[in-house]
Amino acid sequence: MHRLLEWCGDEMALNYQGKTLRLDCLVRRKDTVAWWVLDYRSKAQPQRDPVRLQQLATYREALLALYPEAGVRTAFLTGAGGWWWCEET
């Protein structure tokens, strides 16, 4: 495992408000103890899609409900190698 990561998992199922959410990738950093939700997208600019932005916001809410003391960050990763960090709301 990478020296900055405390934990990582792919295709994680998370139950939240009666629904099962499927997170593409979930990692926790050692240095900041922050969780990162990474969402893989083939679309070139997923950050412009309001549905996808809401999806990441829901993932963030679900993790904050489980780990209220931890920071939670979200980002899109694209097939072309791009990434977009999503602002916390």
Side-chain angles (χ1 to χ4, degrees):
M1 187 175 302
H2 193 276
R3 63 187 170 120
L4 289 179
L5 300 182
E6 178 179 313
W7 187 91
C8 64
D10 291 321
E11 298 296 324
M12 302 300 302
L14 181 63
N15 293 317
Y16 180 63
Q17 296 184 341
K19 295 180 183 177
T20 300
L21 307 176
R22 303 267 180 219
L23 286 65
D24 290 340
C25 184
L26 179 63
V27 298
R28 186 165 183 161
R29 291 182 57 127
K30 286 181 185 177
D31 57 346
T32 64
V33 195
W35 289 100
W36 278 85
V37 177
L38 306 174
D39 194 55
Y40 304 130
R41 292 283 146 202
S42 58
K43 187 176 179 180
Q45 296 181 327
Q47 77 281 10
R48 294 185 181 194
D49 185 339
V51 173
R52 297 297 168 220
L53 289 169
Q54 181 56 53
Q55 180 182 23
L56 284 184
T58 300
Y59 293 167
R60 184 175 181 278
E61 289 171 16
L63 280 170
L64 284 172
L66 290 172
Y67 305 103
E69 76 290 347
V72 178
R73 309 282 181 159
T74 58
F76 292 112
L77 303 176
T78 70
W83 68 275
W84 285 270
W85 173 64
C86 299
E87 292 291 330
E88 298 175 14
T89 56

